[in-house]
Amino acid sequence: MSVVTVQLGQCGNQVGQEFFSVLCNDSNNAKDKLYKDCGHERFFREGPSKDLTARAILIDMEPKVICQTIAKAAKYGKWRYGDNAHFCQKQGSGNNWANGFSLHGPKHKEVVQDLVRKEVEQCDRLSGILTMMSLAGGTGSGMGTYITQCLRDMYPHTSILNHVTWPYNTGEVIVQNYNSVLTLSHLYQFSDAILVHENDTVHKICAQLMNIKHISFNDVNKVITHHLGSVLQPVYTASSSRYSRNPIGEFMSSLVNHPEYKLLSLQNIPQMSSTSLAYSVFNWPGLLKHLRQMLIANARMEEGIDWTVRAPSVSRSDRGRPTRELGFNRSLANLLILRGKDVASAEIGGFKDPALYVPWLPVESAFSSWSSAVPFNGYEKSATLVSNSQSLLGPLNSVVGKAWNMFASRAYIHQYMKFGISEEDFLDSFTVLEQVISSYSQL
Amino acid sequence: MTQSIVVQVGQCGNQVGCRFWDLALREHAHVNKKGIYDEALSSFFRNVDTRRSDGGAAQITGGKISTLKARAVLVDMEEGVVNEILQGPLREVFDSTQLITDVSGSGNNWAVGHWTYGSTYREQIVEQVRRAAEHCDCLQCFFLIHSMGGGTGSGLGTYVLKLLEEEFPEVYRIVTSVYPSAEDDVITSPYNSILAMRELTEHADCVLPVENQSLVDIVNKIRHMSQSGKGGSVIKKDSTVISSKGGVSGVEKPFDAMNNIVANLLLNITSSARFEGSLNMDMNEITMNLVPFPRLHYLVPSLTPLYTLADVNIPTRRLDQMFSDAFSKDHQLIRADPKHSLYLACALMVRGNVQVSDLRRNIERLRPTLPFVSWNQEGWKTGLCSVPPVGHTHALLALANNTCVRPTFSELRERFSKLYRKKAHLHHYLHVEGMEQACFSEALSSLSSLIEEYSQLDATKGACMPDAPRLSIAT
């Protein structure tokens, strides 16, 4: 029933704090008592005086962010972090993946395992673990990878969802491409699924849809956590009358239908500023039509969709190589989550079209749909599509390409070698990712 | 939170250091209204209860400030400068044990500073540094401040650098080096500089080179701006990078304005490590991201804005101007033009009320105008610190690992060669115990190969480098 969240590094902790705020708010505002209780139980522990403590562990290699995060939650007043639920050191990882993975990880393994164990023990039933980190830095990426591996060993039968933040294309950290390559290649070996948010995409959403003039990381995090909340808050998954008890497990089985394909992206509609929201009316056909085209044309948001892209026509005899349509984004699996008024009337047939998917998997296993009649986070109607598709192929290829170019000149490699990551390790990582790229390209 | 120790060596090093401590106190006083000894203060200061006989271990952060002591070691081989500090308003900030002095100075002779005084004072220096280190919970960085042209700062300073590497190999060494201008009045400054450069290349993690002439130019620019006082452009008094206003020291001394610039550089570089922000940039991240190859660790600093105009409204246009200025050659702290050379990496440390969108917008705007090396086309390291410097609403420090240092080094080598060819003043050096002719030739070849490395990278500028062929996977 419960989900334990592990927040790693500056990004992981900042996003995590916003995440719990969104969840708490949404659950508190829900008129459906069952929804509220389920949401609370899933992500929070309730104290004797009805106070909520997040089921979360905060990890960072330097103290400033964790202090800020805990203070911000406490100031907000509606929920707080556990008193001893955090672990930090003093020096940070210096944006060095090797430092996070080879030094800090092993050094603090036991303390972290202890913290996780304590938090898990306070769950009636653990239904999944969510990790939050960025790819670009040192702690979230390096130590986050190491800790994920530890969690996998500790809880071999529990689903682990890695949420990662993909850095801006134009650079936040110079060695971000190295750190991303090392993280993704390692995570691929033992993660159940990697759910990606790209800073560039979220930034555009803030600028063009939410109309925010001076976008801060706070704004970015609000969008990310709105998306995450829309996936993880209580829903009806099968045609059952109860909210799903195993959201992360069912998430995995819906989306990761082949071990070679684990990269998940997410699209959410509608998105707008709260002022515009008050004046807008939505209907399901309109929302779903846009969402479907966003999937097909690989549009990251509901503005600027290329309506000329079409799914290829599937003929009876065409069970071999699928035809390649220009710009078409082929999916392995999709999960559609609808929340709000009149969900029952929403027509989702368009997502079941076999033309959207690879021919070698039956459509029934490729598409799942969840719904909840409770409006989410202030939106009367909202739809989220989580995809296992080619949509991250472009960004992945770009990051690997840039990292490879840098590697060719051996720039910065001495910094990684200081902590025991060799050129061989780099080559292994590149190989793993080229394989992933190849697999996705061939869909 | 980590701590840093400042080691100031020689006349220049100590004068700059003095300005640093003054401005650091001013900055913290500005932010820390309640007088609590917080984590930010502890990065550079100890909190000491002077009534206690053990010199006070009143270190716990969160308590009230008792007496602040700088985490510093002051070294000078003549007493004038250090004595002045001890008699001046900053005397409370230093313990007499933190000062290591001699009487006669190094006579502008690198060999005397390095070999003679180095061996004489080694034990004492190690002990003082060790003491300071023991007071640190987690020591991350040494900041060495010195000049290159003299004898003590240059010679003994680089000896200390080597010593720090040997005794504390895990602690970063960030060196602020003041390079002599062409019209320097010390004749042997090219010898001293080149002999020191070799040590910097081999033993420092990062070097922040600063040229006296650039500092002079900036000071003149600001003074000119203040005096011309065109309508609507009155400068806020305490907002310039050269001002000491609000600090402890009263009377302004001759080099103060220039030294304040360097002090501000150090405050800005450590701001994100001390104060909070939405995207922190610690010292170890600077050494990680800006040093692609171990020897190429010379980072050209530039500070903007140089002053804030008195009118309160700062439209976005001014913010964008700040970013543009960071890349203009007038704001660099050495005489160089990075825009026309090749960037290997660049860090932007933003302070104050600036959001990530402002940062991204400006990076996107400026990126096409700046030549970056082929394997690091998006070579930006960015940091956002919420606390602005005193007197400003926002500020930007840019650190560029750029081949524009090559002409500076080449010129230095020219000046060196002019003297060396004639063997001018060489005997003063060779007389010193521990000094050999080989030291000169080795130092020269170290510099030449450094220049060569930068040249080779320069040669790739503008050339269209093909992408490295990717690994091919059997399908």
Side-chain angles (χ1 to χ4, degrees):
Chain A
M1 260 299 284
S2 311
V3 174
V4 168
T5 303
V6 183
Q7 312 178 172
L8 296 135
Q10 175 166 27
C11 173
N13 279 295
Q14 286 177 188
V15 176
Q17 191 270 326
E18 199 56 55
F19 179 56
F20 285 103
S21 292
V22 165
L23 297 172
C24 182
N25 244 0
D26 181 56
S27 294
N28 280 348
N29 290 338
K31 301 213 169 60
D32 180 334
K33 185 167 189 313
L34 214 57
Y35 182 91
K36 177 172 170 171
D37 289 341
C38 183
H40 280 165
E41 161 76 40
R42 185 171 293 180
F43 293 105
F44 299 91
R45 292 185 262 127
E46 213 167 304
S49 34
K50 296 282 187 183
D51 55 302
L52 295 172
T53 304
R55 299 189 192 274
I57 295 154
L58 301 81
I59 301 175
D60 201 357
M61 290 297 99
E62 66 103 9
K64 291 197 301 289
V65 180
I66 288 190
C67 288
Q68 249 189 303
T69 305
I70 295 181
K72 209 170 162 194
K75 187 164 146 207
Y76 185 54
K78 304 259 172 64
W79 62 275
R80 44 191 278 285
Y81 281 106
D83 286 326
N84 293 313
H86 63 271
F87 174 71
C88 61
Q89 290 290 274
K90 306 198 202 270
Q91 254 216 67
S93 300
N95 289 164
N96 190 326
W97 189 92
N99 193 354
F101 185 81
S102 307
L103 187 72
H104 287 133
K107 193 166 168 200
H108 306 298
K109 174 176 173 166
E110 294 195 6
V111 178
V112 174
Q113 282 180 321
D114 245 354
L115 279 178
V116 176
R117 209 171 280 126
K118 283 207 187 82
E119 193 59 56
V120 170
E121 273 159 22
Q122 310 218 37
C123 300
D124 264 341
R125 247 193 68 211
L126 177 68
S127 84
I129 298 178
L130 172 67
T131 71
M132 308 189 86
M133 58 213 228
S134 74
L135 292 176
T139 299
S141 73
M143 196 178 174
T145 304
Y146 186 85
I147 296 297
T148 303
Q149 192 164 20
C150 290
L151 294 174
R152 172 48 71 225
D153 291 335
M154 279 169 86
Y155 302 103
H157 306 296
T158 306
S159 302
I160 302 179
L161 176 59
N162 288 94
H163 176 262
V164 301
T165 304
W166 200 277
Y168 285 101
N169 250 330
T170 47
E172 301 171 28
V173 168
I174 295 178
V175 290
Q176 64 186 45
N177 297 315
Y178 279 164
N179 292 338
S180 303
V181 164
L182 289 164
T183 304
L184 289 169
S185 61
H186 278 80
L187 277 184
Y188 227 81
Q189 330 261 5
F190 41 75
S191 163
D192 288 318
I194 304 170
L195 179 59
V196 177
H197 265 105
E198 298 163 84
N199 267 349
D200 279 305
T201 302
V202 179
H203 193 105
K204 273 210 204 83
I205 292 176
C206 287
Q208 291 173 15
L209 298 181
M210 317 282 284
N211 262 319
I212 304 174
K213 287 276 175 295
H214 296 288
I215 302 167
S216 65
F217 273 119
N218 239 347
D219 301 315
V220 171
N221 293 344
K222 285 201 163 75
V223 172
I224 293 179
T225 52
H226 171 81
H227 289 181
L228 278 178
S230 75
V231 174
L232 295 173
Q233 278 291 69
V235 265
Y236 292 109
T237 52
S239 40
S240 92
S241 53
R242 281 195 323 180
Y243 286 120
S244 161
R245 307 200 56 130
N246 188 10
I248 299 211
E250 296 195 56
F251 179 86
M252 297 303 177
S253 50
S254 315
L255 285 162
V256 186
N257 39 20
H258 188 291
E260 185 66 22
Y261 303 92
K262 294 183 185 173
L263 286 176
L264 307 177
S265 60
L266 187 160
Q267 280 138 321
N268 170 271
I269 194 175
Q271 295 233 226
M272 51 183 50
S273 65
S274 43
T275 39
S276 312
L277 196 53
Y279 298 104
S280 310
V281 176
F282 306 103
N283 58 69
W284 286 118
L287 290 176
L288 292 176
K289 183 169 167 210
H290 277 74
L291 196 55
R292 183 176 185 274
Q293 191 60 23
M294 279 160 72
L295 168 69
I296 292 176
N298 199 17
R300 314 316 271 125
M301 55 183 190
E302 68 239 46
E303 232 171 78
I305 303 177
D306 185 352
W307 289 95
T308 63
V309 179
R310 292 249 176 280
S313 50
V314 176
S315 60
R316 288 267 101 190
S317 54
D318 201 1
R319 297 312 280 169
R321 274 261 166 272
T323 50
R324 301 223 173 288
E325 270 274 352
L326 204 58
F328 169 63
N329 178 32
R330 193 172 294 272
S331 308
L332 273 134
N334 281 308
L335 169 61
L336 180 65
I337 305 165
L338 304 173
R339 296 180 183 271
K341 201 163 149 218
D342 303 328
V343 268
S345 70
E347 178 51 60
I348 55 176
F351 292 92
K352 296 188 188 164
D353 181 358
L356 265 49
Y357 300 95
V358 291
W360 40 270
L361 284 170
V363 184
E364 304 76 55
S365 79
F367 176 72
S368 323
S369 165
W370 298 354
S371 65
S372 152
V374 180
F376 172 71
N377 208 18
Y379 286 81
E380 184 203 55
K381 297 187 176 82
S382 84
T384 299
L385 187 69
V386 186
S387 307
N388 189 346
S389 70
Q390 296 176 305
S391 64
L392 289 168
L393 187 51
L396 181 62
N397 198 27
S398 162
V399 164
V400 173
K402 287 189 218 169
W404 185 247
N405 261 338
M406 195 180 266
F407 183 68
S409 68
R410 295 294 183 274
Y412 300 102
I413 299 298
H414 71 284
Q415 308 269 16
Y416 290 86
M417 287 172 73
K418 261 194 268 193
F419 292 97
I421 297 293
S422 65
E423 289 187 20
E424 281 303 303
D425 295 318
F426 270 95
L427 284 170
D428 287 340
S429 289
F430 279 113
T431 310
V432 168
L433 291 184
E434 292 288 4
Q435 182 65 63
V436 174
I437 291 173
S438 168
S439 305
Y440 271 104
S441 310
Q442 310 228 347
L443 286 183
Chain B
M1 181 80 70
T2 55
Q3 288 82 40
S4 304
I5 295 177
V6 174
V7 183
Q8 24 192 99
V9 187
Q11 174 174 22
C12 171
N14 278 292
Q15 283 174 338
V16 172
C18 200
R19 297 312 316 139
F20 170 74
W21 292 110
D22 191 11
L23 291 184
L25 284 170
R26 180 180 81 162
E27 180 168 273
H28 281 281
H30 198 77
V31 173
N32 188 346
K33 300 288 186 200
K34 296 194 188 133
I36 305 283
Y37 177 64
D38 60 9
E39 293 274 2
L41 259 177
S42 88
S43 63
F44 280 114
F45 295 95
R46 294 190 289 136
N47 189 20
V48 166
D49 189 344
T50 44
R51 293 166 298 173
R52 292 169 59 155
S53 55
D54 62 354
Q59 293 259 49
I60 328 284
T61 52
K64 268 216 144 318
I65 295 178
S66 185
T67 308
L68 290 175
K69 291 280 179 203
R71 298 189 193 277
V73 179
L74 290 69
V75 182
D76 201 359
M77 293 296 103
E78 44 176 27
E79 295 182 310
V81 179
V82 171
N83 275 346
E84 239 186 272
I85 297 178
L86 282 184
Q87 280 151 24
L90 283 176
R91 62 182 169 277
E92 297 296 318
V93 170
F94 304 107
D95 254 335
S96 53
T97 52
Q98 292 169 265
L99 281 43
I100 299 172
T101 55
D102 198 307
V103 197
S104 29
S106 306
N108 287 325
N109 186 327
W110 186 93
V112 172
H114 196 93
W115 296 115
T116 313
Y117 286 124
S119 48
T120 312
Y121 285 99
R122 188 197 170 94
E123 299 282 319
Q124 232 185 313
I125 296 174
V126 172
E127 204 198 302
Q128 286 320 311
V129 175
R130 206 171 275 298
R131 247 164 146 243
E134 271 156 28
H135 285 132
C136 295
D137 213 357
C138 180
L139 175 62
Q140 183 181 57
C141 221
F142 286 116
F143 285 98
L144 181 68
I145 314 178
H146 71 148
S147 72
M148 301 285 279
T152 303
S154 178
L156 184 55
T158 48
Y159 186 85
V160 171
L161 180 63
K162 256 199 320 222
L163 191 160
L164 293 175
E165 189 179 30
E166 281 161 25
E167 302 285 326
F168 304 90
E170 305 289 308
V171 181
Y172 292 104
R173 296 167 294 283
I174 302 192
V175 186
T176 307
S177 304
V178 181
Y179 280 71
S181 309
E183 311 80 33
D184 196 63
D185 52 0
V186 174
I187 300 189
T188 50
S189 65
Y191 282 162
N192 297 331
S193 304
I194 305 259
L195 288 164
M197 278 249 6
R198 182 211 176 159
E199 307 296 321
L200 292 183
T201 303
E202 285 177 25
H203 304 294
D205 285 308
C206 270
V207 178
L208 305 168
V210 172
E211 256 182 87
N212 265 342
Q213 190 57 48
S214 302
L215 298 180
V216 167
D217 290 341
I218 291 176
V219 170
N220 286 338
K221 193 168 163 195
I222 295 176
R223 294 231 163 100
H224 180 77
M225 208 36 223
S226 319
Q227 270 136 32
S228 68
K230 297 186 188 122
S233 52
V234 177
I235 296 185
K236 259 178 82 176
K237 274 293 169 0
D238 64 349
S239 72
T240 68
V241 293
I242 62 173
S243 130
S244 311
K245 188 165 190 284
V248 187
S249 309
V251 183
E252 191 174 305
K253 297 200 302 302
F255 280 97
D256 273 1
M258 288 164 64
N259 293 340
N260 279 337
I261 300 177
V262 185
N264 275 312
L265 162 64
L266 288 173
L267 284 176
N268 284 340
I269 210 180
T270 55
S271 60
S272 186
R274 290 176 290 138
F275 301 118
E276 48 159 51
S278 61
L279 190 57
N280 295 336
M281 183 154 99
D282 206 342
M283 302 312 301
N284 52 4
E285 293 174 25
I286 294 179
T287 51
M288 171 71 177
N289 283 287
L290 291 175
V291 184
F293 301 102
R295 283 154 57 92
L296 304 184
H297 55 239
Y298 292 86
L299 310 177
V300 180
S302 76
L303 287 173
T304 55
L306 298 176
Y307 48 77
T308 302
L309 299 182
D311 51 353
V312 181
N313 269 328
I314 316 283
T316 318
R317 191 172 43 88
R318 290 249 177 83
L319 188 63
D320 287 10
Q321 185 61 42
M322 178 176 82
F323 280 92
S324 302
D325 284 341
F327 296 96
S328 107
K329 68 174 169 41
D330 295 335
H331 288 252
Q332 310 301 318
L333 299 190
I334 62 169
R335 312 272 305 291
D337 191 1
K339 269 179 123 153
H340 291 106
S341 302
L342 191 64
Y343 276 91
L344 304 180
C346 187
L348 294 175
M349 178 71 248
V350 187
R351 296 183 67 171
N353 188 15
V354 182
Q355 301 305 339
V356 65
S357 56
D358 301 312
L359 188 53
R360 307 264 36 112
R361 181 183 68 245
N362 280 290
I363 287 181
E364 261 156 58
R365 183 174 64 89
L366 291 166
R367 173 62 190 88
T369 65
L370 304 168
F372 269 80
V373 71
S374 66
W375 41 259
N376 203 3
Q377 289 285 301
E378 283 88 25
W380 298 98
K381 166 65 183 160
T382 57
L384 291 166
C385 172
S386 335
V387 177
V390 176
H392 295 271
T393 49
H394 47 254
L396 172 64
L397 164 70
L399 292 172
N401 192 341
N402 187 307
T403 57
C404 68
V405 291
R406 186 180 56 84
T408 308
F409 294 159
S410 295
E411 247 182 57
L412 202 54
R413 184 174 57 175
E414 265 308 295
R415 285 187 259 151
F416 174 94
S417 298
K418 268 205 196 123
L419 291 175
Y420 193 54
R421 271 198 291 267
K422 309 258 181 61
K423 302 220 189 312
H425 303 280
L426 218 47
H427 55 287
H428 289 134
Y429 290 78
L430 298 176
H431 273 338
V432 177
E433 172 88 35
M435 192 68 183
E436 297 165 351
Q437 183 100 18
C439 292
F440 279 88
S441 47
E442 278 163 19
L444 186 60
S445 79
S446 159
L447 182 60
S448 291
S449 68
L450 185 69
I451 292 177
E452 182 53 32
E453 278 177 64
Y454 278 113
S455 293
Q456 279 175 3
L457 285 164
D458 247 340
T460 68
K461 179 172 169 235
C464 202
M465 302 294 278
D467 284 338
R470 298 270 289 270
L471 291 175
S472 51
I473 303 291
T475 45

